Amino acid sequence: MDIVASIPSFGNILYTIGAFVVALSVIVAVHEYGHYIIGRISGIHAEVFSIGFGPVLFSREDKWGTKWQIAALPFGGYVKFLGDANAASDRASETLADMEPEMLRHTMHGAPLWARSATVAAGPVFNFILSIAVFTGVLFIRGEAIEPPTVSTLAQLPAEVGALRPGDQILAMNGIETPDYAAFYDAVAALPVAPSIDYSVLRDGAQADVFGPYPFPPLIDALQPGSAAMDAGLKVGDVVTSIDGTPIAAFSQLQEIVTGSDGRALVVEVWRDGAPLEFTLSPRRVDLPLPEGGFETRWLIGMTGGLFFEPATQTPGVVSALTYGAEQTVYIVRSSLSGLYNMLTGAISSCNLRGPLGIAETSGAAASQGWISFIWFIGVLSTAVGLLNLFPIPVLDGGHLVFHVFEALSGRPPSDRALRILMTAGLSIMFALMAFALSNDLFCP
């Protein structure tokens, strides 16, 4: 990644850092609140709840005796429980030795095993809950498409093609019936790429035969943060009219040219607000997760296409929305684990692992596409943070849960000496992982 090119001005770097801090602060607050609230319910007293590290900027103490604070370095947070020596929840041995049994019960180290395990696990669990809530909320905001396919608004295209109107229900395309979106997409696959298509629609209670544009024109519906298309200056709503002088009528044609480019620079002409513009960009190798598992490596420029119309929507049911949110979260977990496995086995590039600079850049890019895109990114990142914290590495929540499993099986916790050695090893692993991810941010394309 070319840092100078990706952050071309001081204003942009402030925007990127600001978006990153907001996203991280929300995720950390939810994660730490999970530890705090389950600890409180389990009888473990929290002395400090902090967003950020370093000098305290603001603080107040609540009626339960917990100090809530915001610190100057907003790149993390912690909950310090009674009996902890520090923010990492190390055992304050001397303090614990002098405690009365009743007070000891309210410490992280003196509480029953079930209470400690629940408190530790609550952080990642709350991250997953946040992700499900975000994806569910976005579906409620966007709504789910009404079937049969119904036109809400029409996209702005270079030429006015056809006579479809808002409110039209699309009953068939080129004679192929489209009672729902599954049938609609099957029909698209059978259509020839052409400037116009015959549509049968239901309009004002009567069937009408009209013509309209190809269902998936080369219209940019979304841009991938940090992609070649975004870096080149393409925008959502642009319509690609040609690549290297070859006219484009369908998004699938664009995909074929990019996939077969082998990474060579492409001259892309687009139509934006009634005027032609020209961009030069080079596709990048990207490892894409496959529905059946594994990855596929392809040349991409980082844009997705959209229909020539915005579908009419309705508010989804609570159960279907929650199911959608949970499915999205599970998909991210599965894709992340598959990606990690394939990186370890060398099946895909280790450059897929990004560090703080890459995440910050993605935060700013997501925020630049609108608040819904940014909130969606928070949901994705929250899942990643929850999953990372469940890895069985000392210093992470997953490492502490492994200690608890050992205690449950052996009847005693690991010794202080063993804990010190394991925690040091865990810190070394995390620092090495962070250094590797940072080097990817700096040197990977």
Side-chain angles (χ1 to χ4, degrees):
M1 179 184 70
D2 186 343
I3 297 177
V4 175
S6 65
I7 307 176
S9 70
F10 186 67
N12 280 355
I13 193 171
L14 288 179
Y15 186 82
T16 297
I17 292 174
F20 178 56
V21 169
V22 170
L24 186 62
S25 296
V26 169
I27 292 167
V28 167
V30 170
H31 181 95
E32 297 302 334
Y33 186 77
H35 290 314
Y36 161 78
I37 193 62
I38 299 303
R40 200 182 87 185
I41 293 172
S42 303
I44 302 173
H45 174 65
E47 293 185 317
V48 179
F49 185 109
S50 180
I51 300 299
F53 298 94
V56 176
L57 304 177
F58 168 81
S59 69
R60 73 173 183 84
E61 187 171 309
D62 65 19
K63 62 181 180 181
W64 289 284
T66 299
K67 179 183 178 183
W68 297 75
Q69 66 182 38
I70 297 175
L73 302 176
F75 300 107
Y78 63 90
V79 176
K80 181 178 179 294
F81 291 103
L82 180 66
D84 290 348
N86 50 45
S89 291
D90 292 335
R91 183 194 303 264
S93 300
E94 294 182 2
T95 303
L96 293 171
D98 295 334
M99 278 188 181
E100 296 292 332
E102 183 177 350
M103 181 65 72
L104 189 63
R105 167 60 182 82
H106 297 296
T107 69
M108 174 62 86
H109 306 282
L113 182 59
W114 67 265
R116 286 179 278 140
S117 299
T119 301
V120 169
V125 168
F126 270 55
N127 280 132
F128 296 138
I129 291 173
L130 172 62
S131 297
I132 294 171
V134 164
F135 301 141
T136 299
V138 168
L139 182 61
F140 270 115
I141 293 169
R142 290 178 173 172
E144 59 182 3
I146 295 172
E147 294 181 332
T150 303
V151 177
S152 174
T153 58
L154 295 165
Q156 295 295 314
L157 298 176
E160 291 295 332
V161 179
L164 279 89
R165 302 175 187 172
D168 285 349
Q169 290 185 357
I170 300 176
L171 304 179
M173 295 188 296
N174 276 13
I176 305 173
E177 294 186 355
T178 56
D180 53 36
Y181 275 97
F184 181 89
Y185 295 133
D186 288 341
V188 171
L191 292 177
V193 175
S196 67
I197 301 293
D198 293 328
Y199 291 86
S200 293
V201 302
L202 183 65
R203 177 182 299 168
D204 299 327
Q207 184 170 329
D209 294 324
V210 298
F211 67 94
Y214 187 79
F216 283 95
L219 169 70
I220 301 177
D221 186 58
L223 292 168
Q224 181 69 30
S227 64
M230 177 168 278
D231 291 347
L234 292 169
K235 295 183 179 181
V236 172
D238 288 349
V239 181
V240 179
T241 55
S242 70
I243 298 181
D244 287 344
T246 302
I248 300 294
F251 195 83
S252 57
Q253 294 177 310
L254 182 154
Q255 290 175 308
E256 291 173 2
I257 293 174
V258 171
T259 300
S261 68
D262 201 30
R264 65 180 175 81
L266 302 174
V267 178
V268 179
E269 185 172 312
V270 305
W271 179 87
R272 179 188 297 171
D273 299 329
L277 297 173
E278 191 175 279
F279 300 87
T280 300
L281 58 139
S282 299
R284 299 170 183 172
R285 291 178 63 92
V286 178
D287 298 309
L288 297 175
L290 298 173
E292 64 273 13
F295 282 76
E296 176 187 22
T297 301
R298 293 170 56 189
W299 292 100
L300 298 176
I301 57 177
M303 64 171 69
T304 57
L307 293 166
F308 71 91
F309 65 92
E310 188 73 24
T313 60
Q314 62 186 359
T315 302
V318 174
V319 174
S320 63
L322 285 171
T323 300
Y324 172 81
E327 288 174 347
Q328 289 295 317
T329 303
V330 170
Y331 172 76
I332 294 168
V333 169
R334 290 179 58 188
S335 298
S336 299
L337 292 175
S338 177
L340 180 61
Y341 172 79
N342 281 276
M343 278 188 281
L344 291 174
T345 58
I348 63 175
S349 171
S350 60
C351 284
N352 285 281
L353 181 66
R354 291 292 181 171
L357 293 179
I359 296 172
E361 182 184 11
T362 304
S363 301
S368 70
Q369 295 189 69
W371 65 274
I372 290 182
S373 175
F374 183 57
I375 290 175
W376 185 273
F377 169 75
I378 289 176
V380 173
L381 187 57
S382 183
T383 302
V385 169
L387 177 61
L388 174 63
N389 271 277
L390 286 177
F391 285 0
I393 300 174
V395 310
L396 295 181
D397 295 329
H400 287 286
L401 290 174
V402 171
F403 298 154
H404 293 165
V405 170
F406 173 84
E407 182 177 346
L409 295 176
S410 66
R412 58 182 176 80
S415 66
D416 287 348
R417 181 173 180 275
L419 283 174
R420 284 195 297 271
I421 293 174
L422 290 170
M423 295 295 276
T424 301
L427 281 172
S428 299
I429 292 171
M430 292 305 299
F431 280 132
L433 184 62
M434 290 173 62
F436 179 74
L438 183 60
S439 69
N440 282 352
D441 289 342
L442 296 173
F443 303 116
C444 283

